[in-house]
Amino acid sequence: MGRHSLPDAYAPEERGDASPRRRRRTIAIATLLVLAVATGTGVAVKGGLLSFSESCEDSAVHLSLAASPDIAPAVRAIAEEALANEVRSDGHCLDVDVVARDSYKVADALAGGGEAPDFQIWLPDSDLWLDRAEGLGTGIPISPSDSVASSPVGLAMVPSASQRLGWPKKTYSWAGVVTAALTSDKVRLGAADPARSATGLLALTSIAASSGQQGGDSDTRVAETAKVLAERMSDSDAQVLETLARSGSGAEEGNPKRNQAVLISEQAAFTHNAEAAGSGRLNLFYPKDGTPLLDYPYTLVDEEKLTLVQSRAALRFMTLLNDTDSRAVFARYGFRPAGGEAENAVVTAAGGKSPQPYAASAAEAPSAKDLQEMLGMWTITVQSARLTTVVDASGSMSTPVPGRGQSRMDVTKESLIQALTQFTADDEIGLWEFATTLDGKKDYRKLMPTRRLGDPAQGGSTHREKLAAAFAGLQPVPGGATGLYDTTLASYKEAQSSYLKGKFNALVILTDGSDQDEDGISRSALVAELKELADPERPVPIIAIAVGPDADREEVAEIARITGGDGYEVSDPMEIQAVILQAIMTAGQNGRAAQE
């Protein structure tokens, strides 16, 4: 799939063939125009000016339009005014029934095929849903046309929080403003689920692109941001606004369940501020590296099944939505024109103020591939995890880490305890340790079962607290060899047998790779066993982390890849926390790609 097309005002000059998306839009418009002109009514279709004696009630052509809930009221107002004024298409009055439908629900229904939809026109909030609706091309066909309105995505804050970040004089990049919000006095930041919200997905993709410009391990930084956002995630854009502290009340802002900042569109902030009193209004940050646009593409559904009259009426209504009067209606509801040009009255009402770069060019729209990768990252990062952590307790783990005055085991324990804070109460984590003859003839011992971190434990504590104590209690076994292969096979079998659908199941093995036991299963035998056991219906990728200079990353990577996982190497055990997060994200993406 090609790149998402930008509103014309920001689209780069096209050379050669137009993009598939633009070709589809051109074809949709051209088809309707040919139908109109072929019957000698082109002028009527364009202007709706032909006069007929029939009353509207007798001659109306009825259409149903499913619109994103945010734009539905504005489109409904235009449709009702058109009917009241007897606006006609080819002599037929336009009677367009506008229904509010969540874009993600419509996209999924169209992609799945099934029953014919009860609407002929679809107006999602973003063209990213068009790719989702088209799916594998086996669902209900759609014919996208041009945008009818737009709204940039930004970061809105209650006044007390925005003032701490220097609004409006201080400007930030996407990565900068989110980092500032999360670190400056711990501003509570909420967002809508990127799997259900174009606003949430576009914002997260912008944060990732901005973070990538900073260099370093941007993937891990974005994953960490996603984890934080997931803790305060709402199902929809409307719901995320309901999480805000209200009326500037100190009690409300001090309530940990209330957000002080939200990732929303300018139009959503406009609507909120129109209903809010004084201190309950929001201030809006427009990141200086560009704001992505919601672009509201006008889309015909199952066009071939439309009658000639319906096709003409659909075109007439599209031209109506783009005329001067309708543009004024959209502005009254907080929308910008399709090209994204800033309307000062809209910006001010939405909480924008100079020198915030609200009039800057829109950010380049992310490609379908970028959006898919970001959605995959989000899904795996925030999905509840079920991890069995298997830690090397061989004697070599007592080796000092250069420059730290601590052993490999000491630093590993600290990193694991820190990593534990990144997981939610619904995540399930267990702990094994391994070294030769650790438990009789076995090279491994189960220290903590794989259970929900939020589950109660004996003594009034939780499983998280017990697990943290177990991490802290890990000690190298003097003279113990690694025993990696037997342990890998045993722990993999148990993780697979206790596989829990709906969670991200994985086996995390940390080893320094020294002093491998020669009496256990061979490496080749382990590889053969794992090939037999690996089941794509019950995926349990192994995330193998080689700790220290003696570990062989390629060896553990070869073993892990059989299961859909991979091997990683850290020279400093303090890097383990970041690597685990990165590895979980990568394993999840690989798993989805294999299923596709």
Side-chain angles (χ1 to χ4, degrees):
M1 287 179 283
R3 295 188 69 83
H4 285 254
S5 57
L6 291 168
D8 292 339
Y10 300 130
E13 181 180 349
E14 294 184 2
R15 293 184 172 88
D17 292 339
S19 69
R21 174 67 43 76
R22 286 212 178 274
R23 284 199 298 272
R24 287 198 296 271
R25 291 184 175 182
T26 302
I27 290 170
I29 297 172
T31 300
L32 294 174
L33 286 173
V34 168
L35 288 172
V37 174
T39 56
T41 56
V43 174
V45 173
K46 183 178 180 182
L49 300 177
L50 293 184
S51 177
F52 293 82
S53 58
E54 290 181 290
S55 69
C56 266
E57 185 175 346
D58 296 330
S59 69
V61 55
H62 302 281
L63 294 171
S64 182
L65 186 153
S68 176
D70 53 347
I71 202 170
V75 178
R76 187 177 296 116
I78 294 169
E80 290 174 350
E81 185 174 354
L83 185 60
N85 292 336
E86 299 190 5
V87 173
R88 296 173 183 261
S89 166
D90 218 11
H92 299 280
C93 282
L94 286 175
D95 183 8
V96 181
D97 179 38
V98 180
V99 293
R101 300 274 177 88
D102 289 319
S103 298
Y104 80 93
K105 290 181 180 178
V106 175
D108 289 345
L110 293 174
E115 295 183 6
D118 58 357
F119 51 89
Q120 297 80 40
I121 308 167
W122 179 34
L123 193 60
D125 58 2
S126 172
D127 68 357
L128 68 85
W129 299 115
L130 303 180
D131 286 316
R132 184 155 159 179
E134 289 170 345
L136 299 176
T138 56
I140 296 170
I142 58 174
S143 304
S145 188
D146 288 333
S147 300
V148 300
S150 68
S151 188
V153 176
L155 180 60
M157 291 190 186
V158 298
S160 59
S162 64
Q163 288 164 10
R164 289 201 296 272
L165 269 61
W167 181 93
K169 293 183 178 180
K170 188 168 183 179
T171 59
Y172 295 86
S173 66
W174 271 104
V177 72
V178 171
T179 299
L182 296 177
T183 59
S184 176
D185 297 327
K186 298 183 178 179
V187 171
R188 294 182 296 276
L189 174 61
D193 183 354
R196 300 181 176 187
S197 162
T199 301
L201 183 54
L202 288 171
L204 192 59
T205 305
S206 296
I207 294 167
S210 181
S211 183
Q213 295 295 319
Q214 296 180 347
D217 193 359
S218 61
D219 285 345
T220 298
R221 291 198 302 269
V222 174
E224 289 171 345
T225 299
K227 268 288 188 185
V228 174
L229 290 176
E231 292 288 335
R232 313 189 72 84
M233 182 181 69
S234 299
D235 283 346
S236 67
D237 298 323
Q239 288 182 12
V240 76
L241 280 165
E242 294 174 1
T243 68
L244 281 164
R246 299 188 182 97
S247 303
S249 137
E252 280 276 302
E253 290 193 33
N255 184 344
K257 294 183 179 180
R258 289 289 179 185
N259 288 319
Q260 299 155 303
V262 287
L263 294 164
I264 56 173
S265 70
E266 180 183 79
Q267 191 277 334
F270 177 99
T271 301
H272 174 90
N273 285 348
E275 300 170 353
S279 58
R281 291 169 57 86
L282 297 172
N283 295 328
L284 201 55
F285 282 91
Y286 296 79
K288 59 187 178 184
D289 41 1
T291 53
L293 288 175
L294 299 179
D295 59 355
Y296 304 93
Y298 190 89
T299 305
L300 299 186
V301 178
D302 213 352
E303 182 183 2
E304 291 186 357
K305 292 187 177 179
L306 297 182
T307 66
L308 189 61
V309 171
Q310 287 176 321
S311 295
R312 291 170 175 167
L315 175 60
R316 176 68 183 103
F317 192 63
M318 183 181 73
T319 60
L320 185 67
L321 291 177
N322 282 287
D323 70 15
T324 302
D325 291 341
S326 294
R327 176 170 167 167
V329 173
F330 282 129
R332 289 202 302 270
Y333 281 85
F335 291 95
R336 295 188 180 193
E341 299 89 352
E343 300 266 340
N344 288 335
V346 169
V347 171
T348 302
K353 188 176 181 181
S354 182
Q356 288 296 312
Y358 55 80
S361 296
E364 182 178 358
S367 68
K369 181 175 181 292
D370 291 338
L371 291 167
Q372 289 170 346
E373 289 180 353
M374 182 52 57
L375 187 56
M377 183 282 291
W378 166 263
T379 302
I380 197 57
T381 302
V382 305
Q383 185 182 28
S384 183
R386 179 177 172 81
L387 309 177
T388 300
T389 309
V390 184
V391 181
D392 191 343
S394 62
S396 56
M397 288 292 284
S398 61
T399 303
V401 175
R404 286 198 175 274
Q406 295 175 294
S407 69
R408 291 176 186 169
M409 179 62 88
D410 290 335
V411 181
T412 296
K413 292 189 296 187
E414 287 184 13
S415 190
L416 286 172
I417 292 170
Q418 181 62 33
L420 193 58
T421 65
Q422 300 294 317
F423 293 92
T424 71
D426 286 330
D427 291 320
E428 301 182 24
I429 301 180
L431 174 63
W432 290 31
E433 63 176 345
F434 68 99
T436 51
T437 65
L438 188 65
D439 185 10
K441 292 184 177 181
K442 292 191 298 185
D443 296 339
Y444 47 85
R445 179 165 56 199
K446 185 191 297 184
L447 297 179
M448 294 291 293
T450 304
R451 294 175 50 195
R452 285 182 72 256
L453 294 176
D455 282 353
Q458 290 184 347
S461 59
T462 63
H463 182 62
R464 183 195 298 273
E465 292 167 324
K466 291 288 187 182
L467 185 60
F471 282 146
L474 289 168
Q475 295 294 334
V477 176
T482 300
L484 175 63
Y485 301 153
D486 285 344
T487 302
T488 298
L489 183 59
S491 56
Y492 185 80
K493 284 181 176 179
E494 175 156 320
Q496 193 177 58
S497 67
S498 60
Y499 176 88
L500 194 58
K501 189 175 181 180
K503 289 182 179 284
F504 173 70
N505 295 249
L507 186 65
V508 180
I509 299 177
L510 296 101
T511 179
D512 70 356
S514 302
D515 304 319
Q516 171 61 38
D517 178 28
E518 300 296 335
D519 295 331
I521 187 175
S522 68
R523 182 167 172 273
S524 60
L526 171 63
V527 168
E529 287 260 20
L530 290 176
K531 285 180 178 178
E532 287 290 327
L533 291 169
D535 181 358
E537 298 299 319
R538 299 167 65 86
V540 182
I542 292 176
I543 296 169
I545 302 177
V547 182
D550 299 323
D552 186 343
R553 179 198 171 188
E554 287 308 312
E555 177 187 39
V556 296
E558 181 181 354
I559 293 169
R561 286 169 187 157
I562 296 168
T563 66
D566 207 342
Y568 301 83
E569 182 177 358
V570 294
S571 57
D572 186 339
M574 283 305 293
E575 300 169 5
I576 290 172
Q577 175 190 357
V579 169
I580 288 177
L581 193 59
Q582 174 69 26
I584 288 174
M585 180 176 72
T586 303
Q589 290 172 342
N590 290 344
R592 281 187 299 277
Q595 291 174 359
E596 293 171 1

